[in-house]
Amino acid sequence: MAMERANLLNMAKLSIKGLIESALSFGRTLDSDYPPLQQFFVVMEHCLKHGLKVKKSFLGFNKSLWGPLELVEKLCPEAAEISASVRDLPGLKTPLGRARAWLRLALMQKRLADYLRLLITRKDLLSDFYEDSALMLEEEGAVIVGLLVGLNVIDANLCVKGEDLDSQVGVIDFSMYLKNDIDDYRSEERNSQIASILDQKNYVEELNRQLNSTVHGLQGRVDSLEKSNSKLIEELAIAKNNIIKLQEENQQLRSENNLILLKAQQHLEVTQGDVTVERDTYKQSRQGLDEMYNEARRQLKEECQLRQDVENELVAQVSMKQEMELAMKLLEKDIHEKQDTLIGLRQQLDEVKTINVEMYQKMQSSDEEMKKKNDMISRLEEKTNQITATMKQLEQRLQEAERHRTSAEEGSRRFKLDFANKADSLQRQIEHREKQLQQLETDLKIEREWRQTLHNDLDREKDTVAQLSTEALQINGLKKEFHRLQDENVQLKMICEDQEQALEELGSKLSESKLKIEDIKEANKALQGGQVWLKDKEATHCKLCEKEFSISRRKHHCRNCGEIFCNSCSDNELPLPASPKPVRVCDTCHALLLQRCSSNTT
């Protein structure tokens, strides 16, 4: 079994090597009638059959390759298309024919090495199909899978439907691999050159894959940013409309408060006039006291009713203020949520510029509104000062009324002492008058309580003024946050510009990779001409200007001498004997070739 594995490994090396060499000389695109390709499939069939367990059935013994190859579908979902297409082929009747078709389709897909590598790693599954010393379970299988990676260079165009894969006989033709020593020496040189070319090609393919993945990721990020930006614009418009509505409601409430204050002032003026009239009548004669008391009671009742109306209006205003506070809290919550969402605005695009201009204009209008609010606050403060002054005047007048009351009490006492011996009727009248005085005292107490309520109302208005000042501070804080968001927007624009530059660099790298592939093709043609081709790893500086190579300064091979130069030192094209089309040539070779052409013409 060990000898068989070694022989199969050597045959696989020869078949893969011969197939790559012949494909490079033939043109890389191969048909199903190409002999080296047919021998390759025969060798792979023998390698996969080595060590297969014999399964008993009603018709006899059977060795099938389709069983282990069918496992690849479970290990790699990408292989499901191949297995499904193999099952759907109408001309295939045997498992061996399906396995041959599967190998051809995997080679056309350039994933044969990847599928077999996945299959080799699962030895627990392969042990059901192969014996312990089989090639697929040993190190030789891994070596063959590594050699199959080189076949990714070949483009195979195989027609599986027209071939009779069930009845083919797999016999290895050893005559194709018998060569001379000179051919071996040349093949070794070519193998080294081909290996370098394959390494370059694999490197370029990996770069292309990485660049494609980064481009797809960046496109997805740009799409997500555009969606989030549109959502945030809509939310900002809704919030602005809510703020405008709340400001209008606030202005209405302030106008109503001003009307209530004016009414209260008018009532106070009326009461002041009434108090002056009462004082004059009290000084003129004591006989009109009863009439004054009755008029005072009526006025007090009216004032109590007015006071109740004012209290009801104040209760309504307090409820409206509570609603305003709830609305402001909701606005604060909305602002916090918007702050959380505005963190995502760090990845916005150029459309944010127009939105920022509009926001700046609207902030100017809000500044004007804030100035108006400050003016209203100052007016309210002036009105509160006026109300306090009027309240002080009322207090002074109440003190004078108390003095007059004390003087009246003293007079009544004197009247009692002087006329103690008078009739009971006079005493009854005096008692009646004392009761009236008590009622006046109660009325004065009520007035004092009403004055305290007015003080409380003034304190509440002061609290509202303080709340308005806090709202102004909050609006200033919002201005600062808006400026901060503008700075973040500028940073986001810078990031977007950097990402665009990165995309441009990626596009330039893609174009450079395409140019490298073309250079590799030209290098292959030049290799067929027999010239020495310097490897990319050996050259780190340009041979003429001695500048170091980098991403911006690429490597270019001269098609005449095979040395590596930069773009500025090899920006020449001339036709060569090996290639009739004009190819890249360095400056020194360009001058030499021009001298040769001029000497030949002369």
Side-chain angles (χ1 to χ4, degrees):
M1 294 292 283
M3 292 295 292
E4 288 176 358
R5 289 198 303 271
N7 291 329
L8 288 172
L9 178 61
N10 292 324
M11 287 306 301
K13 287 180 181 178
L14 289 172
S15 64
I16 294 167
K17 181 180 177 182
L19 181 60
I20 293 170
E21 289 178 355
S22 60
L24 292 173
S25 62
F26 185 69
R28 292 192 183 180
T29 55
L30 305 178
D31 298 329
S32 59
D33 296 333
Y34 192 57
L37 186 61
Q38 293 178 355
Q39 288 297 313
F40 167 72
F41 285 124
V42 172
V43 172
M44 286 303 298
E45 184 178 345
H46 281 283
C47 291
L48 292 171
K49 280 184 179 180
H50 184 265
L52 268 176
K53 292 181 180 180
V54 178
K55 292 185 178 180
K56 294 181 180 181
S57 64
F58 294 104
L59 300 175
F61 298 99
N62 185 14
K63 288 184 178 181
S64 176
L65 293 176
W66 180 240
L69 294 178
E70 199 173 6
L71 292 173
V72 180
E73 182 181 1
K74 298 178 181 179
L75 299 175
C76 183
E78 296 176 358
E81 295 179 0
I82 297 174
S83 58
S85 59
V86 168
R87 293 189 190 97
D88 294 335
L89 287 173
L92 298 177
K93 296 180 181 179
T94 61
L96 183 60
R98 293 192 187 94
R100 289 171 178 172
W102 189 90
L103 289 172
R104 283 161 174 77
L105 290 174
L107 182 64
M108 288 171 66
Q109 199 180 6
K110 294 184 180 181
R111 296 296 302 275
L112 182 60
D114 297 332
Y115 294 154
L116 292 179
R117 186 183 293 110
L118 291 172
L119 191 62
I120 286 170
T121 55
R122 297 299 301 271
K123 292 183 180 180
D124 55 347
L125 297 175
L126 290 176
S127 61
D128 296 334
F129 298 95
Y130 290 98
E131 295 178 358
D132 294 334
S133 60
L135 186 139
M136 293 297 288
L137 297 175
E138 297 295 334
E139 295 179 355
E140 287 83 355
V143 174
I144 291 170
V145 170
L147 293 171
L148 290 174
V149 177
L151 296 178
N152 292 330
V153 183
I154 299 169
D155 294 329
N157 189 6
L158 306 176
C159 183
V160 183
K161 290 183 179 180
E163 292 186 4
D164 188 9
L165 298 176
D166 293 330
S167 62
Q168 285 183 2
V169 179
V171 179
I172 300 172
D173 187 7
F174 293 98
S175 62
M176 295 176 65
Y177 308 110
L178 298 174
K179 296 181 180 180
N180 295 324
D181 295 333
I182 297 169
D183 294 333
D184 293 336
Y185 180 72
R186 291 178 180 175
S187 64
E188 288 178 356
E189 292 179 351
R190 288 182 181 177
N191 287 330
S192 62
Q193 294 172 358
I194 288 164
S196 64
I197 292 166
L198 290 173
D199 292 334
Q200 292 176 358
K201 194 249 183 188
N202 291 325
Y203 176 69
V204 170
E205 286 181 350
E206 289 178 358
L207 281 176
N208 285 326
R209 289 175 185 172
Q210 292 177 359
L211 292 171
N212 288 323
S213 63
T214 53
V215 167
H216 288 301
L218 290 171
Q219 287 178 354
R221 288 179 183 176
V222 169
D223 294 332
S224 64
L225 284 172
E226 289 178 352
K227 291 179 182 178
S228 62
N229 191 5
S230 62
K231 290 180 181 178
L232 289 170
I233 289 165
E234 292 176 356
E235 290 178 356
L236 284 171
I238 293 164
K240 288 174 184 175
N241 293 323
N242 292 325
I243 289 166
I244 290 165
K245 290 179 181 178
L246 290 170
Q247 287 176 357
E248 291 176 354
E249 291 178 356
N250 192 1
Q251 289 177 359
Q252 291 177 359
L253 290 171
R254 286 179 180 175
S255 63
E256 291 177 357
N257 192 2
N258 291 323
L259 291 171
I260 291 164
L261 290 171
L262 289 171
K263 289 180 180 179
Q265 288 178 359
Q266 290 176 359
H267 289 301
L268 287 170
E269 290 176 356
V270 171
T271 52
Q272 287 175 2
D274 294 331
V275 169
T276 54
V277 171
E278 287 175 358
R279 287 175 183 174
D280 293 333
T281 54
Y282 184 78
K283 289 178 181 179
Q284 290 176 0
S285 62
R286 293 181 181 178
Q287 293 178 359
L289 285 172
D290 295 329
E291 295 177 356
M292 291 294 291
Y293 287 147
N294 294 322
E295 288 176 357
R297 285 176 185 177
R298 292 175 185 174
Q299 289 177 359
L300 285 170
K301 287 179 181 179
E302 290 176 357
E303 287 177 358
C304 289
Q305 290 178 357
L306 291 171
R307 185 168 59 88
Q308 288 178 358
D309 294 332
V310 171
E311 286 177 354
N312 293 323
E313 289 177 355
L314 286 171
V315 169
Q317 189 177 3
V318 168
S319 64
M320 292 295 288
K321 286 179 182 179
Q322 289 177 356
E323 290 178 356
M324 283 292 292
E325 289 177 354
L326 291 171
M328 291 299 293
K329 288 179 181 179
L330 292 171
L331 278 174
E332 288 177 356
K333 290 180 181 178
D334 292 332
I335 288 165
H336 288 298
E337 291 175 357
K338 288 173 185 177
Q339 287 177 355
D340 295 331
T341 53
L342 285 171
I343 294 169
L345 287 172
R346 293 178 179 175
Q347 298 175 349
Q348 289 181 352
L349 297 171
D350 294 332
E351 293 178 355
V352 182
K353 293 180 181 178
T354 57
I355 296 164
N356 287 325
V357 172
E358 293 176 357
M359 288 293 291
Y360 183 74
Q361 293 176 357
K362 290 179 180 179
M363 283 302 294
Q364 287 180 354
S365 64
S366 66
D367 291 331
E368 292 176 356
E369 291 178 356
M370 282 300 298
K371 289 179 181 177
K372 292 179 181 178
K373 289 180 181 179
N374 292 320
D375 293 332
M376 291 295 290
I377 290 164
S378 63
R379 291 174 184 173
L380 287 171
E381 289 177 353
E382 290 176 358
K383 289 179 180 178
T384 52
N385 293 322
Q386 291 177 0
I387 290 165
T388 53
T390 53
M391 289 298 296
K392 288 179 181 178
Q393 291 177 1
L394 286 171
E395 287 176 357
Q396 290 176 0
R397 290 175 182 175
L398 288 170
Q399 288 176 2
E400 289 177 358
E402 287 176 356
R403 289 174 185 174
H404 287 296
R405 186 175 60 79
T406 53
S407 63
E409 287 176 356
E410 289 177 358
S412 62
R413 288 175 184 175
R414 290 175 184 176
F415 182 75
K416 287 178 182 179
L417 292 171
D418 294 330
F419 301 98
N421 297 319
K422 288 184 178 181
D424 294 331
S425 61
L426 292 173
Q427 290 179 356
R428 290 176 183 175
Q429 290 177 358
I430 291 165
E431 289 175 358
H432 183 68
R433 288 178 182 177
E434 285 177 356
K435 289 178 180 179
Q436 289 179 354
L437 288 171
Q438 290 177 358
Q439 288 178 358
L440 286 171
E441 287 176 357
T442 55
D443 293 333
L444 288 171
K445 288 180 182 179
I446 290 165
E447 286 178 357
R448 286 177 182 175
E449 290 176 357
W450 183 63
R451 186 182 62 184
Q452 289 179 358
T453 55
L454 288 174
H455 280 296
N456 293 325
D457 292 333
L458 288 171
D459 293 331
R460 289 176 183 174
E461 288 177 354
K462 288 180 181 179
D463 293 332
T464 55
V465 170
Q467 288 179 357
L468 289 171
S469 62
T470 54
E471 288 177 359
L473 293 172
Q474 289 177 358
I475 290 167
N476 291 322
L478 289 171
K479 286 182 183 178
K480 291 180 182 179
E481 289 178 355
F482 179 74
H483 291 299
R484 183 175 61 78
L485 290 171
Q486 285 182 345
D487 296 332
E488 290 179 355
N489 189 9
V490 173
Q491 292 178 359
L492 288 170
K493 290 177 184 176
M494 296 294 290
I495 292 167
C496 290
E497 290 176 355
D498 294 334
Q499 290 179 355
E500 288 177 355
Q501 290 179 0
L503 287 171
E504 291 176 357
E505 289 177 358
L506 291 172
S508 63
K509 287 181 181 178
L510 286 170
S511 61
E512 287 175 2
S513 64
K514 290 179 181 178
L515 292 172
K516 283 184 179 180
I517 291 168
E518 291 178 358
D519 294 336
I520 289 166
K521 289 180 181 178
E522 291 175 358
N524 188 13
K525 292 179 181 178
L527 284 172
Q528 293 176 3
Q531 61 190 2
V532 179
W533 195 262
L534 187 63
K535 294 182 180 179
D536 287 340
K537 296 179 180 178
E538 295 177 358
T540 59
H541 295 77
C542 180
K543 191 173 182 182
L544 284 177
C545 63
E546 295 183 353
K547 292 181 180 178
E548 188 176 3
F549 293 113
S550 63
I551 295 171
S552 61
R553 189 178 290 108
R554 295 194 308 107
K555 298 178 182 179
H556 297 282
H557 282 85
C558 177
R559 302 300 183 269
N560 188 27
C561 62
E563 297 291 334
I564 295 174
F565 302 90
C566 63
N567 188 17
S568 60
C569 295
S570 62
D571 193 10
N572 304 307
E573 289 183 355
L574 281 175
L576 297 175
S579 61
K581 294 181 181 180
V583 295
R584 187 182 289 274
V585 180
C586 65
D587 293 337
T588 56
C589 293
H590 185 260
L592 292 172
L593 291 170
L594 289 175
Q595 288 177 1
R596 288 178 186 174
C597 291
S598 62
S599 63
N600 290 327
T601 54
T602 55

